[in-house]
Amino acid sequence: MSTVADKLAKKSTSKTSAKQVRLRLVYVDFWSAVKLSFLAAVALAIVTVVATFLVFMVLTTTGLIDRVDELFVAFSNGDFSIKQFLGLSQVMAFSAIVAILNLVVITVLGAVVAGIYNVMVKVTGGLLVGFTSN
C-alpha cells in the first residue's frame, strides 16, 4: 500500500526541467512603493511603542529609575527629581511622537527611493532578476 510519504519521495527523485527566466525590473510603481513603505512604517511604529512600554516597565520594576532619581536628588540637593519627567504618560507620549515622526519619514523615504530608482533605470537599464520554476 502506497502512503503519501512514498508518493512524495517518488516525486522528489524525478528530475524536472526547471525553466529559467531572466527579467529586468524597469519600473517601480510610485503608489505601490508609498503603500508598502507606509505599512512597514506602521509596523515599526507599533514595535516602537510596545518596546518603549516594555523597557519602561522593566526599568520601573527593577527599581533602576528610583536609583537614578536618588542620584539626581543627591547631586541637586533635592531641587531636581527625574521622576517628574519620567512618568509612564510622559514616556509613552514621547514614544508616540517618535513613532508618528518615523511613520512620516519612512513613508516619504519609500516614495523618494521609488522615484530615484525610476530615474536611475533610464541610465542603467534596470535591475536584472532571474527566476526559476520548479
Side-chain angles (χ1 to χ4, degrees):
M1 198 177 228
S2 177
T3 63
V4 174
D6 293 334
K7 289 179 183 177
L8 289 175
K10 287 178 185 176
K11 282 186 179 180
S12 66
T13 58
S14 65
K15 297 255 182 179
T16 59
S17 62
K19 183 177 179 184
Q20 293 185 354
V21 179
R22 291 173 53 142
L23 299 174
R24 191 173 299 274
L25 181 62
V26 295
Y27 178 73
V28 174
D29 184 47
F30 179 78
W31 288 113
S32 295
V34 169
K35 289 187 281 186
L36 185 65
S37 63
F38 177 75
L39 288 177
V42 167
L44 185 64
I46 292 170
V47 168
T48 300
V49 172
V50 170
T52 303
F53 176 75
L54 291 175
V55 168
F56 182 77
M57 293 312 286
V58 166
L59 292 177
T60 303
T61 305
T62 59
L64 188 63
I65 293 178
D66 293 330
R67 289 187 209 146
V68 172
D69 185 51
E70 291 172 6
L71 182 69
F72 274 99
V73 168
F75 278 129
S76 67
N77 294 327
D79 294 335
F80 180 75
S81 175
I82 208 166
K83 283 187 176 180
Q84 295 171 350
F85 303 105
L86 281 182
L88 181 62
S89 59
Q90 289 92 353
V91 170
M92 293 311 293
F94 179 75
S95 175
I97 290 170
V98 168
I100 290 170
L101 288 175
N102 276 341
L103 186 105
V104 171
V105 168
I106 291 172
T107 303
V108 169
L109 278 177
V112 168
V113 167
I116 289 172
Y117 181 79
N118 288 335
V119 169
M120 292 306 297
V121 162
K122 294 178 194 267
V123 174
T124 62
L127 183 67
L128 191 61
V129 182
F131 294 98
T132 62
S133 64
N134 290 333

